[in-house]
Amino acid sequence: MSTQKTILRALAGETLPTPPIWMMRQAGRYLPEYKATRAQAGDFLSLCYNPELAAEVTLQPIRRYGFDAAILFADILLLPQALGADLWFVTGEGPRLSTITTADELKALKPVSAIHDTLSPIYETVKILSRELPSETTLIGFAGAPWTVATYMIAGKGTPDQGPAHALKETDKAVFEGLLDIITEGTIDYLSMQIEAGAEVVKLFDSWAGSLKGDDFLNYSIKPMARIVAALKAKYPTTPIIAFPRGAGEKYVGLHAAIGADCIALDDGVTADWAADNVQTGGCVQGNLKSSHMVTGGDALVSETRRIVDALQNGPHIFNLGHGITPDADPENVQLMIDTVRKGQ
Ligand code: 1CP
């Protein structure tokens, strides 16, 4: 056994009697202490770029619940901003960015080597966290996968069907692929710096992978992630990587090998039983409780949590939600989930 940290043991392929746990968006608006620190920072982006306060909100769910991993508090849209896109958040609506849809706009982006000018506070947050986290807690860094980041850069906002990105892929493949390339290279440098600063694991979020069909899924979700993984593994062979191609459905099969990732994160669109037979055979899996149970709680939360733990107990598994916890979640339901995983064996 290479290490005592449970998350790293699961990522190394070990089957543990109790799966380690963390939760996507574990620092966030469902927690009163997060809302207080965010108010102190002024707004969301100021919080991301304030290393002391970003470290504080990263630590809050660790103090409250004792999760096995902490995820760096930042956002996937900081990389576009570091590449020169304007980024702002509209209250109640979400992110807005200046758009990239032409060759001239693509050319106007900053060189990848310039991203650290903007992103250095994030590396400082990682350094603070690697000093301050309890010795048993694993620090996870992250970035968006190129396709998902591109969907925001092309549309200038979140979109239900990623229509503008699909349209650019059809009308100007050169600009579309050029943008994916820049994001891919930027992500390699960004995650490298997070690892140098102390991130022990990194995760790629491809939140909109599910809207890519046929060869597009392979070419624009899987291949760019595989390129990032290969580049990181060449430099940091011992740093485990989690990939989250959300909405992959049946295409989850074979993705450990196709991406080169140590762990595949599952959304709630597949059952844990199916994933045990078809995905966990390739390595560690993470997931996949429906986030809405954190709102509704009760017996359904307990029975679904047990079902997932049982289904995935014969292989490496990290317990998590299928997507991020929502602001209307009840913090007590999070405790109920953790108690069920840890005591329910
Ligand atoms: O406080 C607030 O009002 C802001 C809400 C918020 C938070 C807490 C945003 C805006 N981002 C975050 C933090 C964040 N985002 C983390 C921190 C670590 C954690 O606790 O998990 C991470 C990993 C992300 C990743 C992220 N940002 C993704 C990928 C994962 C996913 O949820 O699918 C995406 C798509 C984003 C973009 C984004 N940032 C924020 C919002 C509301 C969105 C979604 C926009 C949309 O499409 O509508």
Side-chain angles (χ1 to χ4, degrees):
M1 185 188 312
S2 57
T3 170
Q4 291 306 110
K5 293 195 187 191
T6 50
I7 295 267
L8 297 178
R9 286 168 62 187
L11 288 168
E14 207 179 317
T15 303
L16 298 167
T18 303
I21 317 178
W22 69 281
M23 197 174 65
M24 282 186 269
R25 293 277 172 96
Q26 62 191 22
R29 283 177 296 170
Y30 74 105
L31 287 179
E33 58 268 37
Y34 168 83
K35 282 191 265 193
T37 310
R38 187 180 184 275
Q40 195 186 335
D43 58 56
F44 174 67
L45 283 176
S46 306
L47 179 55
C48 291
Y49 288 116
N50 182 322
E52 292 294 335
L53 295 183
E56 168 58 23
V57 293
T58 307
L59 289 164
Q60 285 168 350
I62 308 305
R63 284 191 208 114
R64 188 189 262 256
Y65 298 115
F67 283 116
D68 296 294
I71 182 155
L72 164 70
F73 189 83
D75 197 81
I76 66 162
L77 300 176
L78 304 185
L79 178 65
Q81 189 176 36
L83 285 167
D86 294 330
L87 172 67
W88 67 102
F89 280 80
V90 179
T91 311
E93 289 186 30
R96 293 290 181 274
L97 300 95
S98 51
T99 58
I100 310 286
T101 55
T102 66
D104 284 345
E105 287 163 348
L106 188 63
K107 252 202 299 208
L109 288 176
K110 293 182 191 167
V112 163
S113 58
I115 62 172
H116 309 303
D117 298 346
T118 301
L119 296 171
S120 57
I122 310 307
Y123 314 141
E124 189 53 37
T125 308
V126 174
K127 283 184 195 157
I128 296 172
L129 287 168
S130 52
R131 282 198 306 270
E132 294 194 359
L133 275 170
S135 59
E136 66 277 15
T137 315
T138 302
L139 178 56
I140 304 177
F142 74 94
W147 159 250
T148 287
V149 174
T151 65
Y152 288 94
M153 293 182 81
I154 294 164
K157 60 184 179 183
T159 45
D161 58 358
Q162 298 75 60
H166 285 286
L168 187 67
K169 167 163 68 64
E170 303 309 325
T171 57
D172 199 337
K173 210 178 257 313
V175 168
F176 173 75
E177 291 188 348
L179 180 60
L180 277 191
D181 259 0
I182 290 171
I183 299 167
T184 302
E185 290 304 320
T187 304
I188 292 166
D189 281 18
Y190 182 36
L191 290 177
S192 295
M193 291 298 278
Q194 292 185 28
I195 293 168
E196 301 272 346
E200 298 171 281
V201 174
V202 293
K203 177 168 175 183
L204 286 167
F205 285 90
D206 212 351
S207 304
W208 300 122
S211 75
L212 289 166
K213 305 296 174 206
D215 288 348
D216 283 352
F217 178 73
L218 180 66
N219 289 331
Y220 302 130
S221 173
I222 301 310
K223 283 190 179 165
M225 285 201 277
R227 203 168 123 197
I228 294 165
V229 170
L232 293 175
K233 290 283 181 189
K235 289 199 270 185
Y236 313 103
T238 61
T239 303
I241 300 175
I242 305 171
F244 182 36
R246 188 166 76 94
E250 287 175 3
K251 298 194 292 293
Y252 266 120
V253 178
L255 290 189
H256 287 91
I259 300 173
D262 303 272
C263 177
I264 296 295
L266 306 164
D267 60 77
D268 58 37
V270 296
T271 68
D273 280 319
W274 178 85
D277 292 341
N278 295 287
V279 190
Q280 199 181 30
T281 42
C284 185
V285 292
Q286 178 180 281
N288 69 341
L289 184 69
K290 219 177 191 15
S291 322
S292 57
H293 287 295
M294 298 299 107
V295 181
T296 52
D299 292 347
L301 183 163
V302 172
S303 61
E304 274 302 284
T305 299
R306 286 216 178 106
R307 204 181 50 75
I308 291 167
V309 170
D310 288 349
L312 295 167
Q313 68 184 341
N314 296 319
H317 176 214
I318 297 169
F319 194 88
N320 205 308
L321 304 178
H323 199 198
I325 188 167
T326 50
D328 55 344
D330 181 344
E332 287 190 12
N333 289 334
V334 177
Q335 191 62 56
L336 180 60
M337 170 190 78
I338 294 171
D339 291 345
T340 305
V341 173
R342 291 192 175 152
K343 295 183 201 140
Q345 298 303 295

